[in-house]
Each structure stands twice: as structure tokens, then as C-alpha cells.
């Protein structure tokens, strides 16, 4: 929504006010709802009290020290001379200052060039471009969206040596559906593991999304060809943005900070494989995962969590009936998360005026 002093038209104010009021009616706190939308509670209260347009109109007079039209023309003439036309605004200002000439600040020079449409990229190389956030994918059932990655496991016998753990995780149930340890990172190994788990779980590959980061094994020709032949939708993180593959990264942190994880590393490949097998068995069948209402990934994967959560609700209801004075509010709901989203989109509000003008 912007920082302090930013103006918002009446359409944006009405949308934000309506969303917050609806959230409060459903039980949310005012401050929490405002924080989600990026606006302070005091600002919202002011909008509710004065729902009209922003009354601020800005300065009515031009600053007396602003650049005149003649000065702007002279600046453009100078920076377009052969000695300066291939320099950045910062370099041009510095070089002119070294020659005893002051024209304006770097920021002012950039504004003048933008006004004259002279700030275009002119080098032979391609300009740097930002990477858009990966597309949002929503899982309503198991084995629809998988997150996978590779992490290193230190060798205790070879200095600087590592084993590599390949993991495929179902984001809906948090169940590890495939895990193997190898001595190298290769797209062929990942492709074989993906092909194997698709056959083992009888996956509907045309409806499957597989997300990973931008590493070489993830974008290797063999891996991409395997996903294409199976009809799998590939999804990739932005470069150097680990949050885009948060499910796999969170699992790796849990794995490496497990009490039984050997700090000095593994003596041999078989030792690493044996430890990973025990961890996967524990994680899938014993670990009560906080993100899925404290049930095991295997229980959620097979639907047993519905009965488990119902029994917990009954237990809490009986406890409240036995001693209601200890319960100042509603009992714990033990809700089952029915939807899990990979890289959820941010909430973007647009005013009706802006949308209409864009159309």
C-alpha cells in the first residue's frame, strides 16, 4: 500500500475499508487485518471517518531553485557531446566536475534525460532484467504439486567431500515421496528418481506440477526431457531466491538439525543412505507436523487425519464440559488445512478508476 505520505484514491480506500471490516466481522483483530493489507490501523480509522478523496493537493508554486528550460537544454547539449555521451550520469557528472564544470546532481541529470527520452539502454550487451515471481500453484489433494531439491551431506573421511541427497516432497501432505543419496549431482539421477516415483505412486502426470530451484541438475536436458515426456508441468524458482522453494528448504533444515544427524559427517555412502532411510520413515510416520494440524504426513496423505482431528475436538469438548471455568474463550478448533499454496500471489489492489482507464 505504500509508505508514509503516499496518496490513495477513493476506490483504493473503499476496497481496503471493506476488506478489513469483513475480516473483523469474521473474527480477525483490526491491527492484524490492517497489517496484512499494509496499512496502519490509525490510517484506516481516518479513512472511515473521512471517506472522501485525499484533500491534500501538493505545492501550488514551483520551487525557486528548480532547473530552468535553458539550463536543461544546456545539460542535454553537454552530455550528448562525444566526450560524455557514452558515460553514465554518475560518470558524466564526475568527469565534468573534474574539468571545473558543474551542471546538476546525478539524480537531476537522470530526471532531465528521462523527460527527453534519452535514458535508453545503449550498450551492445542486453540490459539486466528482473525475474518475475514463480506462478502460484494450489494443491487441494495429495500428489498434485511436488517440491524437490538436492542438499549436500558431509563426508567424514574425505576432506571437502560430500554425498548428495535428492528429495521429492508432496506439499499438500508434507510427505517425502522420494529420497535417494548419491555421490554426485546429475540430472540423470534426478530424472530416474522422478520416473521411479511416478510409477510407484501411479501419478497422473498430466495433472502434476514439479517445482525446483534453478540448479544445473534441475534444468539439465535429461530432467527436462523426462518431465516433458511424462506431461509434467515444470516450475522453477527465481535465481538465488531460496524462499521460492520454501517447502524443500524447510525440510532440509529440519533434517540437518535432527538430534541424530552426525555433525562430523558420514563415513561412507551406505551410512548416509541408511540414516536417510531412518529419517524418512520417522518423518513420514511419526513426526507431528505443525503446518498440517500436528498430524503425521502419512496420516494426512491417506486421509486418516480427519478422524484424528475429530477425536481431538471431542476430547477438548469433554474437557471443557468438565471444567468450563478454565475456558475463557472457544475451544481449539483443530482445523484441517484443505488447501496448500506454492508461492502464493501477493494481494494487489487497484482502484476502479485505474482499471477503467487501463481498459
Amino acid at each position: 500500500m505504500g509508505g508514509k505520505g503516499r496518496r490513495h484514491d477513493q476506490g483504493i480506500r473503499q476496497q481496503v475499508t471493506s476488506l478489513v471490516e469483513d475480516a473483523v466481522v469474521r473474527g480477525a483483530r483490526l491491527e492484524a487485518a490492517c497489517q496484512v493489507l499494509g496499512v496502519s490501523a490509525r490510517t484506516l480509522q481516518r479513512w472511515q471517518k473521512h471517506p472522501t478523496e485525499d484533500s491534500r493537493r501538493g505545492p501550488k508554486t514551483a520551487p525557486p531553485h528548480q532547473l530552468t528550460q535553458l539550463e536543461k537544454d544546456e545539460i542535454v547539449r553537454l552530455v550528448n557531446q562525444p566526450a560524455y555521451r557514452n558515460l553514465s550520469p554518475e560518470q558524466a557528472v564526475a568527469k565534468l566536475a573534474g574539468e571545473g564544470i558543474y551542471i546538476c546532481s546525478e539524480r537531476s541529470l537522470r530526471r532531465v534525460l528521462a523527460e527527453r527520452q534519452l535514458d535508453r539502454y545503449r550498450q551492445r550487451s542486453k540490459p539486466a532484467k528482473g525475474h518475475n515471481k514463480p506462478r502460484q500453484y494450489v494443491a487441494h489433494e495429495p500428489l498434485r504439486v511436488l517440491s524437490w531439491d538436492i542438499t549436500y551431506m558431509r563426508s567424514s573421511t574425505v576432506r571437502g567431500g560430500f554425498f548428495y541427497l535428492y528429495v521429492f516432497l508432496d506439499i499438500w501432505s508434507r510427505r517425502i515421496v522420494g529420497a535417494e543419496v548419491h555421490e554426485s549431482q546429475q540430472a540423470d539421477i534426478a530424472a530416474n528418481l522422478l520416473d521411479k516415483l511416478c510409477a510407484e505412486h501411479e501419478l497422473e502426470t498430466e495433472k502434476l506440477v514439479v517445482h525446483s530451484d534453478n540448479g544445473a541438475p534441475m534444468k539439465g536436458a535429461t530432467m527436462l526431457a523426462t518431465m516433458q515426456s511424462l506431461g509434467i508441468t515444470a516450475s522453477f524458482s527465481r535465481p538465488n531466491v531460496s524462499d521460492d522453494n520454501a517447502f524443500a528448504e524447510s525440510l532440509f533444515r529440519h533434517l540437518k538439525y535432527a538430534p541424530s544427524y552426525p555433525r562430523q559427517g558420514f563415513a561412507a555412502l551406505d551410512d548416509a543412505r541408511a540414516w536417510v532411510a531412518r529419517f524418512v520413515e520417522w518423518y513420514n510416520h511419526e513426526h507431528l507436523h505443525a503446518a498440517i494440524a500436528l498430524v503425521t504426513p502419512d496420516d494426512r496423505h491417506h486421509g486418516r487425519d480427519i478422524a484424528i482431528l475429530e477425536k481431538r475436538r471431542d476430547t477438548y469438548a469433554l474437557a471443557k464440559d468438565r471444567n468450563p471455568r478454565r475456558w475463557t474463550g472457544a475451544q481449539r478448533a483443530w482445523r484441517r488445512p484443505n488447501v496448500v499454496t506454492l508461492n502464493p500471489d501477493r494481494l494487489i489492489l487497484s482502484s476502479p478508476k485505474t482499471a477503467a482507464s487501463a481498459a
Side-chain angles (χ1 to χ4, degrees):
M1 291 298 297
K4 183 179 180 181
R6 181 167 179 178
R7 300 180 183 180
H8 302 92
D9 60 31
Q10 190 172 5
I12 291 289
R13 292 183 175 202
Q14 290 175 350
Q15 287 188 62
V16 173
T17 302
S18 176
L19 288 170
V20 173
E21 289 175 348
D22 183 61
V24 171
V25 169
R26 294 172 181 267
R29 293 173 57 246
L30 176 65
E31 290 78 7
C34 290
Q35 186 177 8
V36 170
L37 294 174
V39 63
S40 69
R42 291 291 300 274
T43 298
L44 181 76
Q45 291 166 353
R46 188 173 64 252
W47 290 356
Q48 291 172 331
K49 188 175 180 181
H50 304 287
T52 58
E53 289 278 354
D54 194 331
S55 59
R56 294 173 296 176
R57 293 293 178 262
K60 297 181 180 179
T61 58
H65 57 275
Q66 72 176 3
L67 294 171
T68 65
Q69 197 62 38
L70 290 176
E71 288 174 323
K72 291 181 180 179
D73 293 340
E74 178 62 17
I75 289 170
V76 171
R77 186 190 68 79
L78 278 173
V79 297
N80 276 290
Q81 291 181 2
Y84 311 107
R85 63 189 180 193
N86 292 322
L87 302 178
S88 68
E90 291 75 16
Q91 292 171 331
V93 168
K95 188 171 182 180
L96 285 166
E99 296 171 1
I101 303 172
Y102 176 80
I103 52 172
C104 62
S105 67
E106 293 93 335
R107 293 289 301 274
S108 295
L109 178 54
R110 285 192 177 276
R111 284 194 294 270
V112 171
L113 293 177
E115 289 175 4
R116 307 291 178 94
Q117 297 185 354
L118 296 173
D119 59 342
R120 303 296 183 263
Y121 192 82
R122 291 180 286 178
Q123 296 186 18
R124 288 184 296 172
S125 61
K126 292 183 178 180
K129 57 181 181 180
H131 296 275
N132 295 328
K133 188 174 182 179
R135 177 183 168 183
Q136 168 183 289
Y137 290 99
V138 179
H140 296 85
E141 57 184 342
L143 302 176
R144 284 291 176 258
V145 182
L146 303 184
S147 173
W148 84 279
D149 204 351
I150 302 172
T151 190
Y152 66 88
M153 305 177 74
R154 192 185 308 277
S155 170
S156 62
T157 56
V158 180
R159 185 173 183 178
F162 298 97
F163 305 113
Y164 297 92
L165 170 61
Y166 297 66
V167 170
F168 284 81
L169 177 76
D170 175 29
I171 73 166
W172 190 83
S173 65
R174 301 302 204 279
R175 187 171 186 261
I176 299 173
V177 294
E180 290 184 358
V181 183
H182 296 274
E183 293 181 313
S184 60
Q185 296 188 74
Q186 295 180 16
D188 295 356
I189 297 174
N192 291 335
L193 177 56
L194 177 60
D195 195 21
K196 187 190 306 181
L197 69 88
C198 286
E200 178 183 347
H201 296 279
E202 299 180 350
L203 301 184
E204 298 180 64
T205 53
E206 296 80 7
K207 300 179 181 179
L208 180 63
V209 175
V210 175
H211 181 82
S212 66
D213 60 27
N214 272 272
M218 292 73 176
K219 288 197 166 182
T222 305
M223 186 63 175
L224 295 178
T226 299
M227 288 196 288
Q228 185 175 6
S229 66
L230 293 172
I232 296 172
T233 301
S235 173
F236 298 100
S237 304
R238 290 167 291 184
N240 303 317
V241 183
S242 59
D243 287 351
D244 289 347
N245 199 15
F247 293 98
E249 297 293 346
S250 176
L251 172 62
F252 287 156
R253 186 191 183 284
H254 198 98
L255 179 144
K256 292 188 177 182
Y257 282 88
S260 61
Y261 188 83
R263 295 184 179 182
Q264 303 303 319
F266 298 89
L269 179 62
D270 289 340
D271 295 336
R273 287 174 171 171
W275 188 90
V276 168
R278 293 193 298 272
F279 175 84
V280 171
E281 179 69 17
W282 170 83
Y283 188 88
N284 283 344
H285 298 92
E286 297 181 40
H287 174 54
L288 301 179
H289 203 298
I292 52 176
L294 295 170
V295 298
T296 67
D298 196 65
D299 284 337
R300 178 168 167 84
H301 184 84
H302 293 98
R304 295 190 294 266
D305 61 321
I306 298 176
I308 293 172
L309 296 176
E310 182 64 31
K311 186 174 181 180
R312 291 178 185 174
R313 284 191 289 269
D314 293 343
T315 301
Y316 269 58
L318 290 174
K320 186 176 181 180
D321 290 341
R322 284 197 300 267
N323 199 338
R325 290 182 298 176
R326 291 182 178 175
W327 302 79
T328 58
Q331 68 185 48
R332 186 168 180 175
W334 292 108
R335 292 189 180 91
R336 184 190 199 223
N338 294 315
V339 175
V340 178
T341 306
L342 175 69
N343 295 317
D345 293 333
R346 291 183 303 169
L347 178 63
I348 300 176
L349 299 175
S350 60
S351 65
K353 183 191 301 182
T354 305
S357 60

